[in-house]
Amino acid sequence: MPLIVMCGFPCSGKSRRAEELKEYFLKSTERKVFVVGDETVGIINNSVYADSQKEKNLRGSLRAEVERKVSKDDIVILDSLNYIKGYRYELFCLIKHTQTPHCLVYCVTSAEDSSSWNASREPDKQYTQEIFDGLVMRFEAPDSRNRWDSPLFAIQKDDALPLEAIADAIFHRKAPPPNQSTQSQPLSSTNFLYELDKVTQDVLTAVLNSQKTSVPGDLIVVPGATEKVELTRNINMSELRKLRRQFISYTKMHPTENIGQIANMFVQYLNKSMH
């Protein structure tokens, strides 16, 4: 059923608020409530945020877990930083695809208060000051004028959660209408899946073969694409296969009517992911 996205600085009270929401819905409804967070997907050491690639993988894992849990009957609460505007937009596209309402709960605190709460945590659960400061600096505050950040509930540290208003937002509000980018491709009338599988495999093969004679900085020509793969570093088969799986999963949710553009889209995805 609905998705509730928590958002805020590190140590801003998101997990406490998520637990309040879970208890409220378990008592007031007969629905199951799932809280998805860093620890849910096996991330306990907050130092993952010191490595941009690990953090990117974490966001992908959380999104995938949300996608698995979201259903017409259950409530999913995503308890993580969710501090990147583009990532919140991806979550919005996900709920448009699954046709379920959502809302955003923004735990508003000052950097000083959050830093103090971080220092009071057990040592193995603290963010280092460097990581904490970096996350605060990169934080992109939600804006209710953005459809992916709306409806928005901004909660100060001493505020009571507006539980009834949140319930009204996710139970009595219509899901955002699907658009062309989130509707499923009519696969029965096309060779979309076949082409998606074949083209991406051809690109992978071309990249692997070209790496034998190329060096970082070279541009690799791949079949079916006008754009070229920018070889910024050597990339092994395992990582390429992982990127291919991620691209296929994303493209199934956001299919293109122009099958001839799949190769270029995959090249763009590789170039962005390998940087």
Side-chain angles (χ1 to χ4, degrees):
M1 182 70 178
L3 171 66
I4 300 175
V5 178
M6 309 302 295
C7 179
F9 286 165
C11 305
S12 57
K14 296 183 298 300
S15 295
R16 175 171 63 87
R17 299 296 195 175
E19 194 59 33
E20 286 181 46
L21 286 166
K22 179 179 179 180
E23 291 179 7
Y24 171 76
F25 287 121
L26 286 176
K27 290 179 181 178
S28 61
T29 74
E30 296 182 354
R31 302 177 188 274
K32 294 179 181 178
V33 183
F34 297 100
V35 177
V36 175
D38 293 8
E39 295 187 13
T40 309
V41 293
I43 300 298
I44 299 175
N45 186 351
N46 290 311
S47 65
V48 69
Y49 289 104
D51 185 312
S52 60
Q53 187 58 50
K54 288 181 180 178
E55 184 184 344
K56 183 176 180 180
N57 292 341
L58 169 62
R59 290 196 297 271
S61 297
L62 289 171
R63 185 177 61 244
E65 187 65 18
V66 167
E67 188 174 1
R68 282 192 289 269
K69 297 290 189 186
V70 165
S71 72
K72 65 179 181 178
D73 299 316
D74 305 326
I75 299 169
V76 179
I77 303 172
L78 178 56
D79 176 23
S80 190
L81 297 174
N82 301 315
Y83 70 99
I84 298 174
K85 179 171 62 176
Y87 182 61
R88 296 196 298 269
Y89 178 73
E90 289 181 31
L91 294 169
F92 177 72
C93 290
L94 188 155
I95 64 104
K96 288 186 75 173
H97 179 72
T98 54
Q99 280 294 274
T100 183
H102 95 307
C103 73
L104 194 74
V105 176
Y106 175 24
C107 297
V108 183
T109 57
S110 67
E112 292 75 17
D113 282 340
S114 289
S115 181
S116 175
W117 291 345
N118 179 52
S120 67
R121 282 183 165 189
E122 296 177 12
D124 63 332
K125 293 187 177 181
Q126 288 181 17
Y127 295 86
T128 67
Q129 194 61 45
E130 181 181 3
I131 294 171
F132 177 88
D133 291 342
L135 289 169
V136 168
M137 182 178 65
R138 297 195 300 273
F139 185 82
E140 297 177 329
D143 184 339
S144 62
R145 291 172 296 182
N146 298 327
R147 61 192 186 281
W148 55 88
D149 288 336
S150 179
L152 173 65
F153 298 90
I155 314 298
Q156 303 287 336
K157 64 177 183 177
D158 296 322
D159 289 349
L161 271 177
L163 297 168
E164 292 185 2
I166 293 173
D168 185 66
I170 60 175
F171 292 143
H172 303 133
R173 184 169 158 270
K174 289 184 178 181
N179 55 28
Q180 190 173 23
S181 66
T182 58
Q183 287 178 314
S184 296
Q185 183 82 3
L187 301 177
S188 59
S189 61
T190 71
N191 291 323
F192 180 73
L193 283 180
Y194 171 79
E195 289 296 327
L196 180 62
D197 183 77
K198 180 180 182 299
V199 168
T200 53
Q201 185 58 56
D202 288 346
V203 172
L204 249 60
T205 301
V207 172
L208 285 169
N209 290 338
S210 296
Q211 281 189 136
K212 297 174 184 177
T213 56
S214 301
V215 295
D218 286 353
L219 296 177
I220 298 176
V221 177
V222 297
T226 56
E227 300 196 30
K228 299 175 183 178
V229 175
E230 301 169 12
L231 188 64
T232 56
R233 58 183 173 86
N234 285 325
I235 183 168
N236 60 35
M237 171 68 85
S238 177
E239 187 176 356
L240 279 171
R241 283 177 173 169
K242 180 180 179 181
L243 291 173
R244 177 174 176 261
R245 287 196 301 271
Q246 291 173 347
F247 175 78
I248 287 176
S249 176
Y250 179 84
T251 308
K252 284 179 181 177
M253 283 183 59
H254 306 80
T256 175
E257 291 186 347
N258 189 348
I259 293 178
Q261 284 300 309
I262 291 175
N264 278 330
M265 290 167 59
F266 189 37
V267 169
Q268 293 169 3
Y269 183 83
L270 289 177
N271 285 336
K272 183 178 180 181
S273 301
M274 291 194 296
H275 276 81

